[in-house]
Amino acid sequence: MAPKHHPTSLSGGDRKALQKEVHRARAMTTVLAQRSAELWVEGEKLIRQADKLSAESWNERMWADGTPIDPSPSIDQAINGGYPWLEIECSRCKTRRDVDLAALSDPSTTFVHDLAGRLRCSKCANAGRRPSTTLLQLAVRCRYDLSPP
């Protein structure tokens, strides 16, 4: 973008005052841009912390109630909060598996509790059955077999 043209007045004092104001404006632009960048970093940290607390809260409610609770964090909120794994259990064979939320084909805005009806046990599927799975909790790291659900 071309610099803004400021018509130069004829007197030397006005010309100096105008250059002084332009210099101040450029300095202020740098200060404001730096402050904006700092606030973006702080905001991202706060959002990450809020997503983490949302995932932890959902885990506690799941532990207390035992059923998929609505509302739950979305897939991208869980991942952003540091909980990229979903622990599931087959309702038939009771096999536990961890599902990598980032690898799911569902949109990242899908809520975790909506996955309850979509995930199936791969062990039972090989035996010709398709029982549903029970959502247990969001996890920070993988603890069980990584076979696809």
PDB file of all heavy atoms in Angstrom, residues 65-85:
ATOM      1  N   ASP A  65     -22.352 -39.422  36.684  1.00  0.00           N
ATOM      2  CA  ASP A  65     -23.644 -39.856  36.153  1.00  0.00           C
ATOM      3  C   ASP A  65     -23.571 -41.120  35.312  1.00  0.00           C
ATOM      4  O   ASP A  65     -24.538 -41.855  35.212  1.00  0.00           O
ATOM      5  CB  ASP A  65     -24.281 -38.733  35.332  1.00  0.00           C
ATOM      6  CG  ASP A  65     -24.585 -37.503  36.174  1.00  0.00           C
ATOM      7  OD1 ASP A  65     -24.665 -37.639  37.404  1.00  0.00           O
ATOM      8  OD2 ASP A  65     -24.748 -36.421  35.589  1.00  0.00           O
ATOM      9  N   GLY A  66     -22.456 -41.341  34.631  1.00  0.00           N
ATOM     10  CA  GLY A  66     -22.258 -42.561  33.864  1.00  0.00           C
ATOM     11  C   GLY A  66     -22.886 -42.613  32.482  1.00  0.00           C
ATOM     12  O   GLY A  66     -22.858 -43.639  31.837  1.00  0.00           O
ATOM     13  N   THR A  67     -23.457 -41.553  32.016  1.00  0.00           N
ATOM     14  CA  THR A  67     -24.043 -41.531  30.676  1.00  0.00           C
ATOM     15  C   THR A  67     -23.487 -40.344  29.902  1.00  0.00           C
ATOM     16  O   THR A  67     -23.019 -39.381  30.515  1.00  0.00           O
ATOM     17  CB  THR A  67     -25.581 -41.397  30.738  1.00  0.00           C
ATOM     18  OG1 THR A  67     -25.910 -40.191  31.431  1.00  0.00           O
ATOM     19  CG2 THR A  67     -26.207 -42.583  31.451  1.00  0.00           C
ATOM     20  N   PRO A  68     -23.528 -40.397  28.566  1.00  0.00           N
ATOM     21  CA  PRO A  68     -23.057 -39.239  27.807  1.00  0.00           C
ATOM     22  C   PRO A  68     -23.882 -37.995  28.143  1.00  0.00           C
ATOM     23  O   PRO A  68     -25.095 -37.992  28.010  1.00  0.00           O
ATOM     24  CB  PRO A  68     -23.263 -39.654  26.351  1.00  0.00           C
ATOM     25  CG  PRO A  68     -23.243 -41.131  26.383  1.00  0.00           C
ATOM     26  CD  PRO A  68     -23.851 -41.516  27.704  1.00  0.00           C
ATOM     27  N   ILE A  69     -23.215 -37.004  28.621  1.00  0.00           N
ATOM     28  CA  ILE A  69     -23.844 -35.795  29.118  1.00  0.00           C
ATOM     29  C   ILE A  69     -23.854 -34.735  28.023  1.00  0.00           C
ATOM     30  O   ILE A  69     -22.869 -34.524  27.337  1.00  0.00           O
ATOM     31  CB  ILE A  69     -23.046 -35.244  30.322  1.00  0.00           C
ATOM     32  CG1 ILE A  69     -22.851 -36.319  31.374  1.00  0.00           C
ATOM     33  CG2 ILE A  69     -23.688 -34.009  30.886  1.00  0.00           C
ATOM     34  CD1 ILE A  69     -23.978 -36.554  32.291  1.00  0.00           C
ATOM     35  N   ASP A  70     -24.999 -34.083  27.897  1.00  0.00           N
ATOM     36  CA  ASP A  70     -25.133 -32.950  27.003  1.00  0.00           C
ATOM     37  C   ASP A  70     -25.238 -31.713  27.885  1.00  0.00           C
ATOM     38  O   ASP A  70     -26.039 -31.712  28.810  1.00  0.00           O
ATOM     39  CB  ASP A  70     -26.394 -33.125  26.156  1.00  0.00           C
ATOM     40  CG  ASP A  70     -26.637 -31.980  25.197  1.00  0.00           C
ATOM     41  OD1 ASP A  70     -25.695 -31.221  24.951  1.00  0.00           O
ATOM     42  OD2 ASP A  70     -27.767 -31.855  24.709  1.00  0.00           O
ATOM     43  N   PRO A  71     -24.485 -30.705  27.743  1.00  0.00           N
ATOM     44  CA  PRO A  71     -23.532 -30.440  26.673  1.00  0.00           C
ATOM     45  C   PRO A  71     -22.160 -31.029  26.991  1.00  0.00           C
ATOM     46  O   PRO A  71     -21.778 -31.166  28.144  1.00  0.00           O
ATOM     47  CB  PRO A  71     -23.452 -28.923  26.646  1.00  0.00           C
ATOM     48  CG  PRO A  71     -23.656 -28.513  28.055  1.00  0.00           C
ATOM     49  CD  PRO A  71     -24.624 -29.525  28.620  1.00  0.00           C
ATOM     50  N   SER A  72     -21.475 -31.363  25.952  1.00  0.00           N
ATOM     51  CA  SER A  72     -20.099 -31.813  26.073  1.00  0.00           C
ATOM     52  C   SER A  72     -19.241 -30.896  25.213  1.00  0.00           C
ATOM     53  O   SER A  72     -19.757 -30.167  24.374  1.00  0.00           O
ATOM     54  CB  SER A  72     -19.976 -33.253  25.572  1.00  0.00           C
ATOM     55  OG  SER A  72     -20.260 -33.323  24.193  1.00  0.00           O
ATOM     56  N   PRO A  73     -17.934 -30.931  25.423  1.00  0.00           N
ATOM     57  CA  PRO A  73     -17.086 -30.112  24.545  1.00  0.00           C
ATOM     58  C   PRO A  73     -17.113 -30.673  23.125  1.00  0.00           C
ATOM     59  O   PRO A  73     -17.394 -31.852  22.920  1.00  0.00           O
ATOM     60  CB  PRO A  73     -15.694 -30.233  25.168  1.00  0.00           C
ATOM     61  CG  PRO A  73     -15.746 -31.409  26.064  1.00  0.00           C
ATOM     62  CD  PRO A  73     -17.169 -31.634  26.442  1.00  0.00           C
ATOM     63  N   SER A  74     -16.833 -29.826  22.172  1.00  0.00           N
ATOM     64  CA  SER A  74     -16.736 -30.300  20.791  1.00  0.00           C
ATOM     65  C   SER A  74     -15.385 -30.989  20.615  1.00  0.00           C
ATOM     66  O   SER A  74     -14.506 -30.901  21.474  1.00  0.00           O
ATOM     67  CB  SER A  74     -16.876 -29.139  19.806  1.00  0.00           C
ATOM     68  OG  SER A  74     -15.809 -28.244  19.960  1.00  0.00           O
ATOM     69  N   ILE A  75     -15.224 -31.680  19.501  1.00  0.00           N
ATOM     70  CA  ILE A  75     -13.971 -32.396  19.248  1.00  0.00           C
ATOM     71  C   ILE A  75     -12.798 -31.431  19.251  1.00  0.00           C
ATOM     72  O   ILE A  75     -11.767 -31.689  19.888  1.00  0.00           O
ATOM     73  CB  ILE A  75     -14.049 -33.170  17.912  1.00  0.00           C
ATOM     74  CG1 ILE A  75     -15.062 -34.318  18.032  1.00  0.00           C
ATOM     75  CG2 ILE A  75     -12.693 -33.694  17.498  1.00  0.00           C
ATOM     76  CD1 ILE A  75     -15.350 -35.040  16.734  1.00  0.00           C
ATOM     77  N   ASP A  76     -12.932 -30.287  18.574  1.00  0.00           N
ATOM     78  CA  ASP A  76     -11.811 -29.341  18.524  1.00  0.00           C
ATOM     79  C   ASP A  76     -11.550 -28.700  19.887  1.00  0.00           C
ATOM     80  O   ASP A  76     -10.403 -28.406  20.219  1.00  0.00           O
ATOM     81  CB  ASP A  76     -11.989 -28.293  17.434  1.00  0.00           C
ATOM     82  CG  ASP A  76     -13.259 -27.487  17.545  1.00  0.00           C
ATOM     83  OD1 ASP A  76     -14.114 -27.820  18.380  1.00  0.00           O
ATOM     84  OD2 ASP A  76     -13.402 -26.506  16.795  1.00  0.00           O
ATOM     85  N   GLN A  77     -12.574 -28.508  20.709  1.00  0.00           N
ATOM     86  CA  GLN A  77     -12.356 -27.974  22.051  1.00  0.00           C
ATOM     87  C   GLN A  77     -11.608 -28.988  22.910  1.00  0.00           C
ATOM     88  O   GLN A  77     -10.727 -28.615  23.684  1.00  0.00           O
ATOM     89  CB  GLN A  77     -13.683 -27.611  22.715  1.00  0.00           C
ATOM     90  CG  GLN A  77     -14.325 -26.379  22.139  1.00  0.00           C
ATOM     91  CD  GLN A  77     -15.718 -26.158  22.696  1.00  0.00           C
ATOM     92  OE1 GLN A  77     -16.420 -27.097  23.054  1.00  0.00           O
ATOM     93  NE2 GLN A  77     -16.117 -24.889  22.764  1.00  0.00           N
ATOM     94  N   ALA A  78     -11.972 -30.257  22.799  1.00  0.00           N
ATOM     95  CA  ALA A  78     -11.292 -31.299  23.571  1.00  0.00           C
ATOM     96  C   ALA A  78      -9.816 -31.384  23.176  1.00  0.00           C
ATOM     97  O   ALA A  78      -8.937 -31.456  24.035  1.00  0.00           O
ATOM     98  CB  ALA A  78     -11.979 -32.638  23.370  1.00  0.00           C
ATOM     99  N   ILE A  79      -9.551 -31.355  21.883  1.00  0.00           N
ATOM    100  CA  ILE A  79      -8.165 -31.423  21.408  1.00  0.00           C
ATOM    101  C   ILE A  79      -7.404 -30.184  21.849  1.00  0.00           C
ATOM    102  O   ILE A  79      -6.269 -30.280  22.332  1.00  0.00           O
ATOM    103  CB  ILE A  79      -8.129 -31.597  19.876  1.00  0.00           C
ATOM    104  CG1 ILE A  79      -8.694 -32.969  19.489  1.00  0.00           C
ATOM    105  CG2 ILE A  79      -6.714 -31.413  19.338  1.00  0.00           C
ATOM    106  CD1 ILE A  79      -8.930 -33.154  18.011  1.00  0.00           C
ATOM    107  N   ASN A  80      -7.996 -29.001  21.705  1.00  0.00           N
ATOM    108  CA  ASN A  80      -7.351 -27.753  22.104  1.00  0.00           C
ATOM    109  C   ASN A  80      -7.088 -27.717  23.607  1.00  0.00           C
ATOM    110  O   ASN A  80      -6.103 -27.145  24.062  1.00  0.00           O
ATOM    111  CB  ASN A  80      -8.205 -26.550  21.694  1.00  0.00           C
ATOM    112  CG  ASN A  80      -7.492 -25.241  21.899  1.00  0.00           C
ATOM    113  OD1 ASN A  80      -6.307 -25.111  21.607  1.00  0.00           O
ATOM    114  ND2 ASN A  80      -8.209 -24.258  22.415  1.00  0.00           N
ATOM    115  N   GLY A  81      -7.951 -28.348  24.396  1.00  0.00           N
ATOM    116  CA  GLY A  81      -7.788 -28.386  25.846  1.00  0.00           C
ATOM    117  C   GLY A  81      -6.796 -29.431  26.316  1.00  0.00           C
ATOM    118  O   GLY A  81      -6.544 -29.558  27.512  1.00  0.00           O
ATOM    119  N   GLY A  82      -6.229 -30.207  25.405  1.00  0.00           N
ATOM    120  CA  GLY A  82      -5.226 -31.192  25.770  1.00  0.00           C
ATOM    121  C   GLY A  82      -5.800 -32.581  26.019  1.00  0.00           C
ATOM    122  O   GLY A  82      -5.152 -33.420  26.634  1.00  0.00           O
ATOM    123  N   TYR A  83      -7.002 -32.842  25.537  1.00  0.00           N
ATOM    124  CA  TYR A  83      -7.646 -34.143  25.695  1.00  0.00           C
ATOM    125  C   TYR A  83      -7.963 -34.727  24.311  1.00  0.00           C
ATOM    126  O   TYR A  83      -9.117 -34.770  23.898  1.00  0.00           O
ATOM    127  CB  TYR A  83      -8.930 -34.003  26.518  1.00  0.00           C
ATOM    128  CG  TYR A  83      -8.664 -33.763  27.976  1.00  0.00           C
ATOM    129  CD1 TYR A  83      -8.450 -32.485  28.461  1.00  0.00           C
ATOM    130  CD2 TYR A  83      -8.613 -34.814  28.878  1.00  0.00           C
ATOM    131  CE1 TYR A  83      -8.192 -32.257  29.798  1.00  0.00           C
ATOM    132  CE2 TYR A  83      -8.359 -34.606  30.217  1.00  0.00           C
ATOM    133  CZ  TYR A  83      -8.157 -33.329  30.673  1.00  0.00           C
ATOM    134  OH  TYR A  83      -7.894 -33.110  31.991  1.00  0.00           O
ATOM    135  N   PRO A  84      -6.939 -35.220  23.596  1.00  0.00           N
ATOM    136  CA  PRO A  84      -7.162 -35.692  22.230  1.00  0.00           C
ATOM    137  C   PRO A  84      -7.669 -37.137  22.126  1.00  0.00           C
ATOM    138  O   PRO A  84      -7.881 -37.628  21.028  1.00  0.00           O
ATOM    139  CB  PRO A  84      -5.782 -35.560  21.594  1.00  0.00           C
ATOM    140  CG  PRO A  84      -4.847 -35.778  22.729  1.00  0.00           C
ATOM    141  CD  PRO A  84      -5.523 -35.190  23.936  1.00  0.00           C
ATOM    142  N   TRP A  85      -7.847 -37.830  23.243  1.00  0.00           N
ATOM    143  CA  TRP A  85      -8.275 -39.226  23.217  1.00  0.00           C
ATOM    144  C   TRP A  85      -9.622 -39.379  23.899  1.00  0.00           C
ATOM    145  O   TRP A  85      -9.904 -38.731  24.899  1.00  0.00           O
ATOM    146  CB  TRP A  85      -7.258 -40.123  23.928  1.00  0.00           C
ATOM    147  CG  TRP A  85      -5.932 -40.127  23.257  1.00  0.00           C
ATOM    148  CD1 TRP A  85      -4.852 -39.346  23.568  1.00  0.00           C
ATOM    149  CD2 TRP A  85      -5.538 -40.917  22.140  1.00  0.00           C
ATOM    150  NE1 TRP A  85      -3.822 -39.618  22.716  1.00  0.00           N
ATOM    151  CE2 TRP A  85      -4.209 -40.571  21.832  1.00  0.00           C
ATOM    152  CE3 TRP A  85      -6.184 -41.879  21.377  1.00  0.00           C
ATOM    153  CZ2 TRP A  85      -3.519 -41.164  20.789  1.00  0.00           C
ATOM    154  CZ3 TRP A  85      -5.477 -42.468  20.344  1.00  0.00           C
ATOM    155  CH2 TRP A  85      -4.166 -42.112  20.049  1.00  0.00           C
TER     156      TRP A  85
END
